[in-house]
């Protein structure tokens, strides 16, 4: 499956713009969500092929939303890449245990992000 539709979930407008800009310039269709609750609504409605998930957000955090995605039979096949400033190894391990396919630490390197997406596709 070639990944085309990506949902970016981040409470920072700057991060959403940065990631969207990289992705659109590389031919992806991008939608965004400001928090986990909005993300879950958009996932059900839009069925993205990949989710880029921040961790630290108001309401449910990215780990909780990733776990909800991984446990729902309708969404469990959608890969999640966590994109966060949380750079501890324990955070990375915890994120992967919640169901994330990969883990990137901010500031996101555009080439590394595109390589991770290509590997999933």
């Amino acid at each position: 499956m070639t990944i085309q539709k990506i949902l970016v979930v981040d409470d920072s407008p700057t991060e959403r713009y940065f990631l969207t800009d990289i992705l659109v310039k590389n031919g992806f269709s991008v939608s965004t969500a400001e928090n986990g609750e909005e993300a879950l609504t958009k996932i059900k409605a839009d069925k993205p092929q990949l989710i880029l998930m921040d961790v630290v957000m108001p309401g449910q955090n990215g780990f909780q939303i990733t776990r909800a995605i991984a446990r729902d039979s309708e969404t469990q096949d959608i890969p999640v890449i966590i994109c966060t400033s949380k750079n501890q190894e324990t955070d990375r391990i915890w994120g992967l245990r919640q169901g994330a396919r990969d883990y990137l630490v901010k500031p996101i390197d555009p080439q590394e992000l595109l390589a991770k997406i290509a590997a999933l596709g």
Side-chain angles (χ1 to χ4, degrees), residues 55-121:
V55 171
V56 181
M57 298 182 286
Q60 290 185 296
N61 69 40
F63 291 143
Q64 292 168 307
I65 299 300
T66 299
R67 186 168 54 241
I69 292 165
R71 290 185 177 171
D72 186 327
S73 61
E74 286 183 41
T75 58
Q76 64 187 8
D77 293 333
I78 304 171
V80 176
I81 298 177
I82 290 181
C83 299
T84 182
S85 55
K86 295 177 76 63
N87 63 357
Q88 298 296 309
E89 182 65 10
T90 52
D91 294 318
R92 189 184 76 77
I93 291 167
W94 185 246
L96 296 174
R97 281 195 179 156
Q98 303 317 301
R101 300 279 178 89
D102 219 322
Y103 193 98
L104 291 170
V105 176
K106 294 176 184 173
I108 302 297
D109 175 86
Q111 295 309 317
E112 185 180 9
L113 173 62
L114 294 170
K116 302 266 188 197
I117 294 171
L120 287 173

Short mmCIF file of all heavy atoms in Angstrom, two decimals, residues 55-121:
data_model
loop_
_atom_site.label_atom_id
_atom_site.label_comp_id
_atom_site.label_asym_id
_atom_site.label_seq_id
_atom_site.Cartn_x
_atom_site.Cartn_y
_atom_site.Cartn_z
N VAL A 55 2.94 13.78 21.44
CA VAL A 55 2.61 13.14 22.72
C VAL A 55 1.98 14.14 23.68
O VAL A 55 0.89 13.93 24.20
CB VAL A 55 3.85 12.48 23.36
CG1 VAL A 55 3.54 12.03 24.78
CG2 VAL A 55 4.32 11.30 22.53
N VAL A 56 2.66 15.27 23.91
CA VAL A 56 2.21 16.22 24.92
C VAL A 56 1.17 17.16 24.30
O VAL A 56 1.50 18.03 23.50
CB VAL A 56 3.40 17.03 25.49
CG1 VAL A 56 2.92 18.00 26.55
CG2 VAL A 56 4.45 16.08 26.05
N MET A 57 -0.11 16.92 24.65
CA MET A 57 -1.22 17.72 24.15
C MET A 57 -2.25 17.86 25.25
O MET A 57 -2.30 17.04 26.16
CB MET A 57 -1.89 17.02 22.94
CG MET A 57 -1.01 16.83 21.74
SD MET A 57 -1.89 16.05 20.37
CE MET A 57 -2.02 14.34 20.93
N PRO A 58 -3.11 18.88 25.16
CA PRO A 58 -4.20 18.99 26.14
C PRO A 58 -5.16 17.81 26.00
O PRO A 58 -5.30 17.24 24.91
CB PRO A 58 -4.89 20.31 25.78
CG PRO A 58 -4.29 20.80 24.53
CD PRO A 58 -3.11 19.96 24.19
N GLY A 59 -5.83 17.45 27.08
CA GLY A 59 -6.73 16.30 27.05
C GLY A 59 -5.92 15.02 27.03
O GLY A 59 -4.88 14.92 27.68
N GLN A 60 -6.38 14.05 26.27
CA GLN A 60 -5.65 12.78 26.19
C GLN A 60 -4.32 13.01 25.48
O GLN A 60 -4.25 13.72 24.48
CB GLN A 60 -6.47 11.74 25.43
CG GLN A 60 -7.68 11.25 26.18
CD GLN A 60 -8.37 10.14 25.43
OE1 GLN A 60 -8.88 10.35 24.34
NE2 GLN A 60 -8.38 8.96 26.01
N ASN A 61 -3.26 12.37 25.99
CA ASN A 61 -1.96 12.54 25.34
C ASN A 61 -1.81 11.57 24.17
O ASN A 61 -2.64 10.69 23.95
CB ASN A 61 -0.81 12.42 26.36
CG ASN A 61 -0.64 11.02 26.91
OD1 ASN A 61 -0.75 10.02 26.20
ND2 ASN A 61 -0.33 10.93 28.19
N GLY A 62 -0.74 11.75 23.42
CA GLY A 62 -0.52 10.95 22.23
C GLY A 62 -0.36 9.47 22.50
O GLY A 62 -0.75 8.64 21.67
N PHE A 63 0.19 9.11 23.64
CA PHE A 63 0.31 7.70 24.00
C PHE A 63 -1.09 7.09 24.16
O PHE A 63 -1.35 5.99 23.68
CB PHE A 63 1.08 7.51 25.30
CG PHE A 63 2.56 7.84 25.22
CD1 PHE A 63 3.19 8.44 26.30
CD2 PHE A 63 3.32 7.54 24.10
CE1 PHE A 63 4.55 8.74 26.26
CE2 PHE A 63 4.67 7.82 24.05
CZ PHE A 63 5.29 8.43 25.13
N GLN A 64 -1.99 7.82 24.84
CA GLN A 64 -3.35 7.32 25.07
C GLN A 64 -4.11 7.17 23.74
O GLN A 64 -4.80 6.18 23.53
CB GLN A 64 -4.11 8.27 26.00
CG GLN A 64 -3.55 8.28 27.42
CD GLN A 64 -4.11 9.42 28.24
OE1 GLN A 64 -4.05 10.58 27.83
NE2 GLN A 64 -4.65 9.10 29.40
N ILE A 65 -3.96 8.16 22.86
CA ILE A 65 -4.67 8.11 21.57
C ILE A 65 -4.10 6.99 20.70
O ILE A 65 -4.85 6.26 20.04
CB ILE A 65 -4.58 9.48 20.86
CG1 ILE A 65 -5.23 10.57 21.71
CG2 ILE A 65 -5.23 9.42 19.48
CD1 ILE A 65 -6.69 10.35 22.02
N THR A 66 -2.79 6.83 20.71
CA THR A 66 -2.16 5.75 19.94
C THR A 66 -2.68 4.39 20.43
O THR A 66 -3.00 3.51 19.63
CB THR A 66 -0.62 5.82 20.06
OG1 THR A 66 -0.20 7.08 19.51
CG2 THR A 66 0.05 4.69 19.32
N ARG A 67 -2.79 4.23 21.74
CA ARG A 67 -3.31 2.98 22.31
C ARG A 67 -4.76 2.76 21.85
O ARG A 67 -5.14 1.65 21.48
CB ARG A 67 -3.21 3.01 23.84
CG ARG A 67 -3.60 1.70 24.49
CD ARG A 67 -3.22 1.65 25.97
NE ARG A 67 -3.76 2.76 26.72
CZ ARG A 67 -3.02 3.67 27.37
NH1 ARG A 67 -1.71 3.60 27.36
NH2 ARG A 67 -3.60 4.65 28.04
N ALA A 68 -5.57 3.83 21.86
CA ALA A 68 -6.97 3.71 21.43
C ALA A 68 -7.06 3.31 19.96
O ALA A 68 -7.88 2.47 19.59
CB ALA A 68 -7.70 5.04 21.66
N ILE A 69 -6.19 3.87 19.13
CA ILE A 69 -6.16 3.52 17.70
C ILE A 69 -5.78 2.06 17.53
O ILE A 69 -6.39 1.32 16.76
CB ILE A 69 -5.15 4.44 16.95
CG1 ILE A 69 -5.67 5.88 16.93
CG2 ILE A 69 -4.90 3.94 15.53
CD1 ILE A 69 -4.61 6.90 16.56
N ALA A 70 -4.76 1.62 18.26
CA ALA A 70 -4.25 0.25 18.13
C ALA A 70 -5.24 -0.79 18.63
O ALA A 70 -5.23 -1.93 18.15
CB ALA A 70 -2.93 0.12 18.89
N ARG A 71 -6.12 -0.40 19.55
CA ARG A 71 -7.07 -1.37 20.13
C ARG A 71 -8.41 -1.40 19.41
O ARG A 71 -9.23 -2.27 19.72
CB ARG A 71 -7.28 -1.05 21.61
CG ARG A 71 -6.06 -1.37 22.44
CD ARG A 71 -6.32 -1.15 23.90
NE ARG A 71 -5.14 -1.54 24.68
CZ ARG A 71 -5.00 -1.30 25.97
NH1 ARG A 71 -5.96 -0.69 26.63
NH2 ARG A 71 -3.92 -1.68 26.60
N ASP A 72 -8.64 -0.47 18.49
CA ASP A 72 -9.92 -0.40 17.77
C ASP A 72 -9.79 -1.17 16.47
O ASP A 72 -8.92 -0.89 15.65
CB ASP A 72 -10.26 1.07 17.50
CG ASP A 72 -11.63 1.26 16.88
OD1 ASP A 72 -12.08 0.39 16.10
OD2 ASP A 72 -12.25 2.29 17.16
N SER A 73 -10.67 -2.15 16.26
CA SER A 73 -10.57 -2.99 15.07
C SER A 73 -10.71 -2.18 13.77
O SER A 73 -10.19 -2.58 12.74
CB SER A 73 -11.62 -4.11 15.11
OG SER A 73 -12.92 -3.55 15.15
N GLU A 74 -11.40 -1.04 13.82
CA GLU A 74 -11.57 -0.21 12.63
C GLU A 74 -10.30 0.57 12.28
O GLU A 74 -10.12 0.98 11.13
CB GLU A 74 -12.70 0.81 12.83
CG GLU A 74 -14.09 0.21 12.78
CD GLU A 74 -15.15 1.29 12.91
OE1 GLU A 74 -14.98 2.37 12.31
OE2 GLU A 74 -16.13 1.05 13.62
N THR A 75 -9.45 0.84 13.27
CA THR A 75 -8.30 1.72 13.05
C THR A 75 -6.95 1.05 13.30
O THR A 75 -5.91 1.65 13.01
CB THR A 75 -8.40 2.96 13.95
OG1 THR A 75 -8.46 2.54 15.33
CG2 THR A 75 -9.64 3.78 13.64
N GLN A 76 -6.94 -0.17 13.79
CA GLN A 76 -5.67 -0.78 14.23
C GLN A 76 -4.67 -0.99 13.10
O GLN A 76 -3.48 -1.14 13.36
CB GLN A 76 -5.93 -2.08 14.98
CG GLN A 76 -6.56 -3.17 14.14
CD GLN A 76 -6.95 -4.37 14.98
OE1 GLN A 76 -6.90 -4.34 16.20
NE2 GLN A 76 -7.36 -5.44 14.31
N ASP A 77 -5.14 -0.99 11.85
CA ASP A 77 -4.22 -1.17 10.73
C ASP A 77 -3.58 0.13 10.26
O ASP A 77 -2.73 0.12 9.37
CB ASP A 77 -4.95 -1.82 9.54
CG ASP A 77 -5.36 -3.25 9.87
OD1 ASP A 77 -4.70 -3.89 10.71
OD2 ASP A 77 -6.37 -3.71 9.29
N ILE A 78 -3.99 1.27 10.85
CA ILE A 78 -3.40 2.56 10.46
C ILE A 78 -2.12 2.75 11.26
O ILE A 78 -2.15 2.82 12.48
CB ILE A 78 -4.38 3.73 10.74
CG1 ILE A 78 -5.71 3.51 10.03
CG2 ILE A 78 -3.74 5.05 10.30
CD1 ILE A 78 -6.79 4.50 10.43
N PRO A 79 -0.97 2.85 10.57
CA PRO A 79 0.28 3.03 11.32
C PRO A 79 0.37 4.42 11.95
O PRO A 79 -0.12 5.40 11.39
CB PRO A 79 1.37 2.84 10.26
CG PRO A 79 0.70 3.04 8.95
CD PRO A 79 -0.76 2.75 9.13
N VAL A 80 0.98 4.47 13.13
CA VAL A 80 1.21 5.72 13.85
C VAL A 80 2.72 5.89 14.02
O VAL A 80 3.41 4.96 14.45
CB VAL A 80 0.54 5.70 15.25
CG1 VAL A 80 0.87 6.97 16.03
CG2 VAL A 80 -0.97 5.53 15.11
N ILE A 81 3.21 7.07 13.66
CA ILE A 81 4.59 7.45 13.99
C ILE A 81 4.49 8.57 15.02
O ILE A 81 3.87 9.61 14.77
CB ILE A 81 5.38 7.95 12.77
CG1 ILE A 81 5.51 6.86 11.71
CG2 ILE A 81 6.77 8.45 13.20
CD1 ILE A 81 6.22 7.31 10.43
N ILE A 82 5.05 8.34 16.19
CA ILE A 82 5.05 9.37 17.23
C ILE A 82 6.16 10.37 16.91
O ILE A 82 7.30 9.98 16.64
CB ILE A 82 5.21 8.73 18.62
CG1 ILE A 82 3.93 7.96 18.96
CG2 ILE A 82 5.53 9.79 19.66
CD1 ILE A 82 3.92 7.29 20.31
N CYS A 83 5.78 11.66 16.93
CA CYS A 83 6.72 12.76 16.68
C CYS A 83 6.66 13.67 17.90
O CYS A 83 5.69 14.41 18.09
CB CYS A 83 6.32 13.54 15.43
SG CYS A 83 6.30 12.57 13.92
N THR A 84 7.68 13.62 18.74
CA THR A 84 7.60 14.30 20.03
C THR A 84 8.95 14.86 20.46
O THR A 84 9.99 14.44 19.95
CB THR A 84 7.08 13.32 21.10
OG1 THR A 84 6.95 13.99 22.35
CG2 THR A 84 8.01 12.13 21.26
N SER A 85 8.90 15.77 21.42
CA SER A 85 10.14 16.28 22.01
C SER A 85 10.62 15.38 23.15
O SER A 85 11.70 15.56 23.68
CB SER A 85 9.92 17.71 22.53
OG SER A 85 8.84 17.72 23.42
N LYS A 86 9.81 14.39 23.53
CA LYS A 86 10.19 13.47 24.61
C LYS A 86 11.26 12.51 24.08
O LYS A 86 10.97 11.62 23.32
CB LYS A 86 8.96 12.70 25.11
CG LYS A 86 7.93 13.61 25.78
CD LYS A 86 6.69 12.88 26.21
CE LYS A 86 6.86 12.04 27.45
NZ LYS A 86 7.19 12.76 28.68
N ASN A 87 12.49 12.76 24.51
CA ASN A 87 13.63 12.06 23.90
C ASN A 87 14.24 10.97 24.77
O ASN A 87 15.32 10.46 24.48
CB ASN A 87 14.70 13.08 23.51
CG ASN A 87 15.27 13.82 24.71
OD1 ASN A 87 14.83 13.61 25.84
ND2 ASN A 87 16.24 14.68 24.47
N GLN A 88 13.56 10.57 25.84
CA GLN A 88 14.09 9.50 26.69
C GLN A 88 13.80 8.14 26.05
O GLN A 88 12.75 7.94 25.44
CB GLN A 88 13.44 9.56 28.08
CG GLN A 88 13.71 10.84 28.82
CD GLN A 88 15.18 11.02 29.14
OE1 GLN A 88 15.82 10.13 29.68
NE2 GLN A 88 15.72 12.18 28.80
N GLU A 89 14.72 7.21 26.22
CA GLU A 89 14.53 5.86 25.68
C GLU A 89 13.27 5.21 26.25
O GLU A 89 12.56 4.50 25.54
CB GLU A 89 15.78 5.01 25.97
CG GLU A 89 15.73 3.61 25.43
CD GLU A 89 15.69 3.51 23.90
OE1 GLU A 89 15.90 4.53 23.21
OE2 GLU A 89 15.44 2.41 23.39
N THR A 90 12.97 5.48 27.52
CA THR A 90 11.77 4.90 28.12
C THR A 90 10.51 5.41 27.43
O THR A 90 9.54 4.66 27.27
CB THR A 90 11.68 5.21 29.63
OG1 THR A 90 11.83 6.63 29.81
CG2 THR A 90 12.75 4.48 30.42
N ASP A 91 10.52 6.68 26.99
CA ASP A 91 9.37 7.23 26.25
C ASP A 91 9.21 6.51 24.92
O ASP A 91 8.10 6.18 24.49
CB ASP A 91 9.54 8.73 26.00
CG ASP A 91 9.51 9.54 27.28
OD1 ASP A 91 8.66 9.25 28.15
OD2 ASP A 91 10.32 10.48 27.42
N ARG A 92 10.33 6.28 24.23
CA ARG A 92 10.30 5.61 22.93
C ARG A 92 9.73 4.19 23.09
O ARG A 92 8.84 3.77 22.35
CB ARG A 92 11.71 5.55 22.32
CG ARG A 92 11.71 5.05 20.87
CD ARG A 92 13.12 4.92 20.33
NE ARG A 92 13.77 3.74 20.86
CZ ARG A 92 13.53 2.49 20.43
NH1 ARG A 92 12.67 2.28 19.48
NH2 ARG A 92 14.13 1.47 20.97
N ILE A 93 10.24 3.47 24.08
CA ILE A 93 9.77 2.10 24.32
C ILE A 93 8.28 2.11 24.67
O ILE A 93 7.50 1.30 24.15
CB ILE A 93 10.59 1.43 25.45
CG1 ILE A 93 12.03 1.19 24.95
CG2 ILE A 93 9.95 0.14 25.92
CD1 ILE A 93 13.02 0.83 26.04
N TRP A 94 7.86 3.06 25.52
CA TRP A 94 6.45 3.14 25.91
C TRP A 94 5.59 3.44 24.69
O TRP A 94 4.52 2.84 24.51
CB TRP A 94 6.27 4.20 26.99
CG TRP A 94 4.88 4.27 27.53
CD1 TRP A 94 4.01 5.31 27.39
CD2 TRP A 94 4.19 3.27 28.28
NE1 TRP A 94 2.81 5.01 28.00
CE2 TRP A 94 2.90 3.77 28.56
CE3 TRP A 94 4.53 1.99 28.73
CZ2 TRP A 94 1.95 3.04 29.28
CZ3 TRP A 94 3.59 1.27 29.44
CH2 TRP A 94 2.31 1.79 29.71
N GLY A 95 6.02 4.35 23.83
CA GLY A 95 5.27 4.69 22.63
C GLY A 95 5.08 3.50 21.71
O GLY A 95 3.99 3.25 21.19
N LEU A 96 6.15 2.73 21.53
CA LEU A 96 6.06 1.54 20.68
C LEU A 96 5.16 0.48 21.31
O LEU A 96 4.42 -0.21 20.63
CB LEU A 96 7.46 0.99 20.39
CG LEU A 96 8.37 1.95 19.59
CD1 LEU A 96 9.78 1.38 19.48
CD2 LEU A 96 7.80 2.26 18.21
N ARG A 97 5.19 0.39 22.64
CA ARG A 97 4.31 -0.56 23.34
C ARG A 97 2.84 -0.19 23.20
O ARG A 97 1.97 -1.05 23.30
CB ARG A 97 4.67 -0.64 24.82
CG ARG A 97 5.89 -1.48 25.07
CD ARG A 97 6.00 -1.83 26.53
NE ARG A 97 7.17 -2.67 26.75
CZ ARG A 97 7.79 -2.77 27.90
NH1 ARG A 97 7.38 -2.07 28.94
NH2 ARG A 97 8.83 -3.55 28.03
N GLN A 98 2.56 1.10 23.01
CA GLN A 98 1.17 1.54 22.85
C GLN A 98 0.63 1.23 21.46
O GLN A 98 -0.55 1.37 21.20
CB GLN A 98 1.03 3.05 23.12
CG GLN A 98 1.51 3.49 24.47
CD GLN A 98 1.09 2.58 25.60
OE1 GLN A 98 -0.10 2.37 25.84
NE2 GLN A 98 2.05 2.02 26.31
N GLY A 99 1.54 0.85 20.55
CA GLY A 99 1.09 0.48 19.21
C GLY A 99 1.71 1.31 18.09
O GLY A 99 1.39 1.09 16.92
N ALA A 100 2.55 2.28 18.43
CA ALA A 100 3.20 3.09 17.39
C ALA A 100 4.16 2.21 16.58
O ALA A 100 4.78 1.30 17.12
CB ALA A 100 3.95 4.26 18.00
N ARG A 101 4.26 2.50 15.29
CA ARG A 101 5.18 1.75 14.43
C ARG A 101 6.58 2.33 14.47
O ARG A 101 7.55 1.64 14.18
CB ARG A 101 4.70 1.77 12.97
CG ARG A 101 3.34 1.18 12.76
CD ARG A 101 3.37 -0.35 12.69
NE ARG A 101 2.02 -0.86 12.52
CZ ARG A 101 1.45 -1.04 11.34
NH1 ARG A 101 2.10 -0.79 10.24
NH2 ARG A 101 0.21 -1.48 11.28
N ASP A 102 6.67 3.63 14.79
CA ASP A 102 7.98 4.27 14.85
C ASP A 102 7.91 5.48 15.77
O ASP A 102 6.81 5.86 16.22
CB ASP A 102 8.45 4.69 13.45
CG ASP A 102 9.95 4.44 13.26
OD1 ASP A 102 10.70 4.66 14.23
OD2 ASP A 102 10.34 4.02 12.17
N TYR A 103 9.08 6.07 16.05
CA TYR A 103 9.18 7.14 17.03
C TYR A 103 10.25 8.10 16.57
O TYR A 103 11.39 7.70 16.36
CB TYR A 103 9.57 6.51 18.38
CG TYR A 103 9.42 7.39 19.59
CD1 TYR A 103 8.30 7.30 20.40
CD2 TYR A 103 10.41 8.29 19.94
CE1 TYR A 103 8.16 8.07 21.54
CE2 TYR A 103 10.28 9.09 21.08
CZ TYR A 103 9.16 8.98 21.87
OH TYR A 103 9.02 9.75 23.00
N LEU A 104 9.88 9.36 16.37
CA LEU A 104 10.84 10.39 15.97
C LEU A 104 10.87 11.49 17.03
O LEU A 104 9.82 11.87 17.57
CB LEU A 104 10.43 11.01 14.63
CG LEU A 104 10.56 10.12 13.40
CD1 LEU A 104 9.90 10.79 12.20
CD2 LEU A 104 12.03 9.85 13.11
N VAL A 105 12.07 12.02 17.28
CA VAL A 105 12.22 13.08 18.27
C VAL A 105 12.36 14.43 17.55
O VAL A 105 13.09 14.55 16.58
CB VAL A 105 13.46 12.81 19.17
CG1 VAL A 105 13.69 13.96 20.13
CG2 VAL A 105 13.28 11.50 19.94
N LYS A 106 11.61 15.42 18.05
CA LYS A 106 11.69 16.78 17.51
C LYS A 106 13.01 17.41 17.93
O LYS A 106 13.49 17.12 19.02
CB LYS A 106 10.52 17.63 18.04
CG LYS A 106 9.17 17.17 17.56
CD LYS A 106 8.08 18.01 18.22
CE LYS A 106 6.69 17.52 17.85
NZ LYS A 106 5.65 18.23 18.60
N PRO A 107 13.58 18.28 17.13
CA PRO A 107 13.06 18.73 15.84
C PRO A 107 13.15 17.61 14.79
O PRO A 107 14.15 16.91 14.71
CB PRO A 107 13.95 19.91 15.46
CG PRO A 107 15.24 19.67 16.19
CD PRO A 107 14.86 18.94 17.46
N ILE A 108 12.07 17.44 14.04
CA ILE A 108 11.97 16.37 13.05
C ILE A 108 12.88 16.68 11.86
O ILE A 108 12.84 17.78 11.32
CB ILE A 108 10.51 16.20 12.56
CG1 ILE A 108 9.58 15.89 13.75
CG2 ILE A 108 10.41 15.15 11.47
CD1 ILE A 108 9.86 14.61 14.47
N ASP A 109 13.68 15.71 11.48
CA ASP A 109 14.50 15.82 10.28
C ASP A 109 13.65 15.39 9.08
O ASP A 109 13.19 14.24 9.05
CB ASP A 109 15.74 14.92 10.42
CG ASP A 109 16.56 14.91 9.15
OD1 ASP A 109 17.40 15.80 8.99
OD2 ASP A 109 16.34 13.99 8.32
N PRO A 110 13.42 16.28 8.11
CA PRO A 110 12.54 15.94 6.99
C PRO A 110 12.95 14.66 6.24
O PRO A 110 12.09 13.85 5.92
CB PRO A 110 12.64 17.17 6.07
CG PRO A 110 12.98 18.29 6.99
CD PRO A 110 13.87 17.68 8.04
N GLN A 111 14.23 14.46 6.01
CA GLN A 111 14.67 13.27 5.27
C GLN A 111 14.41 12.00 6.08
O GLN A 111 14.03 10.97 5.52
CB GLN A 111 16.15 13.39 4.89
CG GLN A 111 16.43 14.51 3.90
CD GLN A 111 15.52 14.47 2.68
OE1 GLN A 111 15.25 13.42 2.11
NE2 GLN A 111 14.99 15.62 2.29
N GLU A 112 14.64 12.07 7.38
CA GLU A 112 14.38 10.91 8.24
C GLU A 112 12.88 10.59 8.25
O GLU A 112 12.49 9.42 8.13
CB GLU A 112 14.87 11.18 9.67
CG GLU A 112 14.74 9.97 10.57
CD GLU A 112 15.22 10.21 11.99
OE1 GLU A 112 15.52 11.38 12.35
OE2 GLU A 112 15.28 9.24 12.75
N LEU A 113 12.05 11.62 8.35
CA LEU A 113 10.60 11.42 8.33
C LEU A 113 10.17 10.75 7.02
O LEU A 113 9.44 9.76 7.04
CB LEU A 113 9.87 12.76 8.51
CG LEU A 113 8.35 12.70 8.35
CD1 LEU A 113 7.71 11.80 9.40
CD2 LEU A 113 7.77 14.09 8.40
N LEU A 114 10.63 11.28 5.90
CA LEU A 114 10.24 10.73 4.59
C LEU A 114 10.74 9.30 4.43
O LEU A 114 10.05 8.46 3.85
CB LEU A 114 10.76 11.63 3.47
CG LEU A 114 10.12 13.03 3.43
CD1 LEU A 114 10.87 13.93 2.46
CD2 LEU A 114 8.64 12.95 3.10
N ALA A 115 11.92 8.99 4.97
CA ALA A 115 12.44 7.63 4.91
C ALA A 115 11.57 6.68 5.74
O ALA A 115 11.29 5.55 5.31
CB ALA A 115 13.89 7.60 5.40
N LYS A 116 11.13 7.13 6.91
CA LYS A 116 10.27 6.29 7.76
C LYS A 116 8.93 6.02 7.06
O LYS A 116 8.41 4.90 7.11
CB LYS A 116 10.01 6.96 9.11
CG LYS A 116 11.26 7.26 9.90
CD LYS A 116 11.61 6.20 10.84
CE LYS A 116 12.75 6.64 11.76
NZ LYS A 116 13.38 5.52 12.42
N ILE A 117 8.38 7.05 6.39
CA ILE A 117 7.11 6.89 5.68
C ILE A 117 7.30 5.91 4.52
O ILE A 117 6.47 5.02 4.32
CB ILE A 117 6.58 8.25 5.18
CG1 ILE A 117 6.21 9.14 6.37
CG2 ILE A 117 5.38 8.07 4.24
CD1 ILE A 117 5.90 10.58 6.01
N ALA A 118 8.39 6.07 3.79
CA ALA A 118 8.67 5.17 2.65
C ALA A 118 8.80 3.73 3.14
O ALA A 118 8.33 2.79 2.48
CB ALA A 118 9.93 5.62 1.94
N ALA A 119 9.44 3.53 4.28
CA ALA A 119 9.62 2.18 4.82
C ALA A 119 8.27 1.55 5.17
O ALA A 119 8.10 0.33 5.02
CB ALA A 119 10.53 2.23 6.05
N LEU A 120 7.32 2.34 5.64
CA LEU A 120 6.00 1.81 5.97
C LEU A 120 5.18 1.49 4.73
O LEU A 120 4.37 0.58 4.73
CB LEU A 120 5.22 2.82 6.83
CG LEU A 120 5.70 2.97 8.27
CD1 LEU A 120 4.96 4.12 8.93
CD2 LEU A 120 5.47 1.69 9.06
N GLY A 121 5.39 2.28 3.65
CA GLY A 121 4.63 2.10 2.43
C GLY A 121 5.16 0.92 1.67
O GLY A 121 4.59 0.30 0.83
#
